[in-house]
């Protein structure tokens, strides 16, 4: 099985990245990674994105026996993948993915649901609420070694992967006295830094999900308007938690690394727009730089959250129960795969949305 998510900002298009075998062959930003018994499909950012990159680490560690070269079946796991960008032909086995980005897909017999991210996804799909367990990134706890990591007392911040390109967040965090974790960092280094933190400030949802899984308190924030409340609410409700993000002012400094020609083109686009000479088919200019006006405000906000932010952490009972239920569902997937290999009809799963 396999599949990959489209965890992108609103109005942002993605190309796909396909990984035949275990090599890296960049075709576009949707990655079909092949292993030993099915296929794994998830969104692959060309420069890396923590939440999506958890897919290969978790699934190939917990259930490598599921994957092979049969592209007639795909596993839809971590990410906001239940949308119109899902491939039509394969049978799609949904394991913890969510609804949210792009257009809603046509749900037919090619969709089979073992579980979804949360109750909002289940409601939108019209499937049983019992299938709303939680985001499967929590299964990282079943992959990591049991050996403890010494906490340093540091506070870490991870922006949404799109936000990380809007400003020099590393420099902003340094001024605020907190640790910056880029969503494109090496996944093992990122997990290590999160385990050493006493608090994680998270604009990236999977920074919060993994922090919660590691039992590290976290504070949700929204720095830009592309943050999708629906998927956060979906996950938080799965663990009976509220979602009340702290707002941090939007800061833009995208031109800091532009070439002179890129700066010139941006200036021309802005002037044409102001003159009313514009069409929606043109790529808009990047937002105007406001670093000088906003830097102190953003640094102060980060510092206050590090010192006085109200931390979130799911109840231990809910956390452990969600892991147990996901592992039971994973066992169901394994049994069904064995049945299919033996030519038997697998145990029925919820194949399509419930009809009214």
């Amino acid at each position: 099985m396999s599949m990959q998510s489209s965890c992108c900002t609103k109005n942002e298009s993605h190309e796909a990245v396909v990984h035949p075998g275990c090599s890296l062959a960049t075709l576009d930003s949707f990655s079909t990674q092949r292993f030993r018994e099915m296929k794994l499909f998830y969104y692959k950012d060309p420069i890396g994105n923590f939440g999506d990159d958890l897919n290969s680490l978790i699934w190939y560690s917990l259930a490598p026996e599921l994957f092979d070269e049969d592209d007639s079946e795909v596993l839809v796991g971590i990410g906001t993948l239940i949308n119109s960008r899902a491939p039509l032909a394969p049978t799609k086995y949904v394991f913890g993915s969510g609804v949210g980005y792009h257009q809603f897909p046509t749900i037919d017999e090619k969709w089979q649901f073992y579980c979804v991210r949360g109750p909002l996804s289940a409601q939108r799909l019209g499937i049983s609420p019992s299938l709303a367990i939680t985001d499967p990134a929590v299964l990282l706890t079943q992959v990591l070694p049991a050996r403890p990591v010494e906490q340093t007392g540091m506070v870490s911040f991870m922006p949404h992967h799109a936000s990380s390109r809007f400003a020099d967040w590393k420099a902003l965090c340094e001024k605020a006295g907190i640790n910056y974790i880029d969503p494109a960092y090496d996944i093992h280094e990122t997990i290590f830094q999160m385990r050493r933190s006493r608090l994680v400030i998270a604009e990236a949802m999977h920074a919060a999900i993994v922090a919660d899984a590691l039992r590290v308190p976290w504070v949700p924030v929204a720095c830009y308007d592309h943050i999708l409340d629906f998927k956060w609410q979906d996950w938080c409700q799965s663990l009976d938690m509220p979602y009340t993000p702290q707002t941090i002012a939007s800061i833009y400094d995208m031109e800091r690394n532009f070439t002179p020609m890129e700066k010139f083109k941006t200036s021309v686009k802005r002037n044409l727009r102001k003159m009313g000479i514009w069409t929606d088919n043109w790529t808009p200019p990047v937002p105007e730089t406001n670093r000088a006006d906003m830097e102190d405000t953003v640094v102060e906000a980060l510092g206050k959250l590090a010192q006085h932010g109200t931390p979130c952490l799911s109840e231990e009972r809910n956390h452990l129960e969600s892991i147990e239920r996901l592992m039971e569902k994973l066992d169901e997937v394994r049994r069904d795969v064995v049945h299919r290999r033996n030519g038997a009809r697998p145990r029925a799963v919820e194949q399509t949305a419930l009809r009214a």
Side-chain angles (χ1 to χ4, degrees):
M1 313 176 189
S2 79
M3 191 160 91
Q4 191 176 28
S5 132
S6 168
C7 203
C8 63
T9 61
K10 298 172 184 175
N11 303 321
E12 182 179 359
S13 61
H14 292 291
E15 299 178 346
V17 176
V18 176
H19 302 275
C22 291
S23 65
L24 299 178
T26 302
L27 302 181
D28 58 26
S29 58
F30 278 111
S31 167
T32 304
Q33 298 221 14
R34 303 180 181 183
F35 200 61
R36 285 171 29 192
E37 184 48 68
M38 287 185 187
K39 284 191 179 176
L40 179 60
F41 178 87
Y42 64 97
Y43 170 65
K44 181 73 176 178
D45 190 290
I47 66 171
N49 180 33
F50 176 64
D52 301 307
D53 295 344
L54 288 167
N55 276 284
S56 58
L57 173 62
I58 290 175
W59 301 122
Y60 293 164
S61 298
L62 280 182
E65 73 280 5
L66 295 181
F67 302 94
D68 69 1
E69 297 302 310
D70 181 5
D71 58 8
S72 66
E73 298 179 330
V74 296
L75 178 66
V76 187
I78 300 166
T80 309
L81 303 167
I82 306 172
N83 56 56
S84 57
R85 295 193 173 189
L88 296 176
T91 299
K92 294 164 281 291
Y93 297 96
V94 178
F95 196 101
S97 189
V99 172
Y101 290 123
H102 309 299
Q103 295 181 355
F104 193 73
T106 299
I107 302 297
D108 56 21
E109 70 280 355
K110 293 288 188 177
W111 289 88
Q112 298 197 16
F113 297 90
Y114 284 93
C115 54
V116 292
R117 176 186 285 154
L120 299 184
S121 286
Q123 182 181 37
R124 182 71 180 85
L125 289 162
I127 60 177
S128 171
S130 66
L131 299 185
I133 299 181
T134 198
D135 193 291
V138 70
L139 294 181
L140 179 65
T141 57
Q142 308 303 295
V143 173
L144 295 178
R147 294 185 296 276
V149 171
E150 181 181 358
Q151 285 198 347
T152 63
M154 68 182 178
V155 175
S156 295
F157 168 69
M158 184 190 290
H160 184 277
H161 74 109
S163 305
S164 66
R165 295 145 192 175
F166 290 169
D168 187 351
W169 281 101
K170 184 175 181 179
L172 294 167
C173 286
E174 286 176 354
K175 290 190 174 184
I178 63 179
N179 178 54
Y180 174 66
I181 303 179
D182 194 293
Y185 281 175
D186 173 80
I187 193 168
H188 300 284
E189 178 65 25
T190 295
I191 293 167
F192 180 64
Q193 290 191 32
M194 292 179 71
R195 295 180 76 185
R196 299 181 74 202
S197 302
R198 70 166 177 84
L199 179 71
V200 171
I201 301 172
E203 192 192 37
M205 186 179 73
H206 279 94
I209 292 172
V210 170
D212 197 81
L214 298 174
R215 305 282 81 190
V216 175
W218 50 276
V219 175
V221 298
C223 308
Y224 302 94
D225 61 8
H226 57 247
I227 301 305
L228 187 61
D229 282 0
F230 180 91
K231 70 176 188 177
W232 274 90
Q233 294 281 6
D234 196 26
W235 169 63
C236 285
Q237 288 184 28
S238 75
L239 295 173
D240 294 326
M241 294 186 294
Y243 173 58
T244 52
Q246 301 298 308
T247 299
I248 294 179
S250 300
I251 183 169
Y252 296 99
D253 189 18
M254 298 180 72
E255 297 172 73
R256 66 190 185 281
N257 296 321
F258 276 16
T259 64
M261 179 56 70
E262 288 171 329
K263 290 181 179 179
F264 173 73
K265 288 181 179 179
T266 297
S267 176
V268 170
K269 284 184 177 182
R270 287 174 180 156
N271 288 331
L272 288 173
R273 229 178 183 183
K274 290 176 182 177
M275 295 165 59
I277 306 172
W278 195 258
T279 171
D280 291 339
N281 294 328
W282 294 352
T283 303
V286 299
E288 293 195 39
T289 298
N290 64 356
R291 178 179 175 179
D293 295 328
M294 301 307 302
E295 182 172 332
D296 290 345
T297 300
V298 171
V299 168
E300 182 181 7
L302 288 171
K304 285 183 177 178
L305 287 172
Q307 295 299 321
H308 308 296
T310 302
C312 303
L313 197 65
S314 65
E315 292 186 12
E316 187 75 5
R317 179 190 63 183
N318 294 338
H319 165 67
L320 295 175
E321 181 182 320
S322 69
I323 294 174
E324 181 180 3
R325 291 176 65 196
L326 286 174
M327 293 301 288
E328 290 173 352
K329 286 292 183 182
L330 188 56
D331 285 340
E332 289 182 14
V333 176
R334 289 190 179 100
R335 289 195 295 269
D336 287 351
V337 168
V338 170
H339 287 152
R340 285 195 297 276
R341 287 180 191 158
N342 294 335
R345 184 177 180 83
R347 177 198 58 80
V349 296
E350 189 132 5
Q351 292 188 328
T352 60
L354 300 175
R355 306 301 178 188

